[in-house]
Amino acid sequence: MALRRMRSIPWGTGALVLAALAAAGCQQNKEGGGGTPATPAAQTAAGDAGGEVVATYQGHTLTSGRVALELERLPAPSRTYLAAPERKRQFVENLVVNDLLYAEGTQAGYDKDAEITRQVDDLRKRLVVQRVMRKYRRRPPSPTRT
C-alpha cells in the first residue's frame, strides 16, 4: 500500500501543476478581454488556422481554428466523446499544457537529443513503409491472360 501511495504522489502533484498552468493561461485570456482574433502572422507562426482566440499563454495564442484542426486529426469515436463541453474544455487545456511542455523541452534542448532524433527517424521509416504497403494493397489484382 505504501508503494502504491508513493507512486501516485508525483503523478497527482504533476497533474495539479499542469491543471494550474492551463487554468492560468485560460484565465489570462478572460482577463485580457478574450475573443479578439490574433494577427494572421501570429496565427501562422503558431500553426493556428484562424478563428476566435480561445486561450493566450506565454506569448502563444490558441485559436478555435487550431482546436478544430486538432479535433479533425482524432478518430471519429474520440471526436464524439469530446462533443460534451466539459470534455472539449479539457481537450483545449491539454493542448495548452502540451504546448507549454514542448516549449520547455525545446528550451532544454530535448528536441536535439540523439535518442529522440533516432526514434523520429525510425518512425519516419515505418510510416513510409506503411504508405508503400497501402499503395500495393489498393491496386486491383491484374487480370490473368490465357
Side-chain angles (χ1 to χ4, degrees):
M1 175 128 168
L3 181 59
R4 189 177 339 159
R5 186 177 299 148
M6 285 173 47
R7 286 184 183 164
S8 67
I9 290 172
W11 174 250
T13 304
L16 287 174
V17 169
L18 294 177
L21 285 171
C26 291
Q27 186 62 32
Q28 285 177 343
N29 187 38
K30 290 177 188 170
E31 291 171 1
T36 341
T39 63
Q43 290 172 355
T44 304
D48 288 330
E52 184 179 325
V53 173
V54 176
T56 55
Y57 50 97
Q58 294 186 351
H60 298 280
T61 304
L62 179 64
T63 65
S64 58
R66 175 162 171 235
V67 172
L69 285 174
E70 294 294 335
L71 284 169
E72 286 175 21
R73 294 175 57 197
L74 298 173
S78 296
R79 288 193 304 268
T80 302
Y81 176 79
L82 292 171
E86 178 61 23
R87 292 179 186 143
K88 191 170 185 179
R89 183 189 62 75
Q90 287 177 321
F91 179 75
V92 169
E93 287 180 3
N94 286 341
L95 289 175
V96 170
V97 169
N98 197 46
D99 282 352
L100 291 170
L101 292 173
Y102 181 77
E104 183 178 330
T106 55
Q107 249 183 346
Y110 297 154
D111 57 326
K112 294 171 180 51
D113 180 79
E115 180 59 20
I116 290 176
T117 301
R118 184 192 63 77
Q119 290 178 15
V120 168
D121 290 343
D122 287 349
L123 177 60
R124 181 177 290 111
K125 182 178 178 181
R126 279 184 269 153
L127 291 172
V128 168
V129 168
Q130 285 176 7
R131 179 150 310 163
V132 170
M133 290 173 64
R134 269 187 298 205
K135 175 183 144 188
Y136 286 115
R137 275 188 263 173
R138 288 184 187 156
R139 284 190 182 166
S142 50
T144 49
R145 295 187 177 167
T146 54

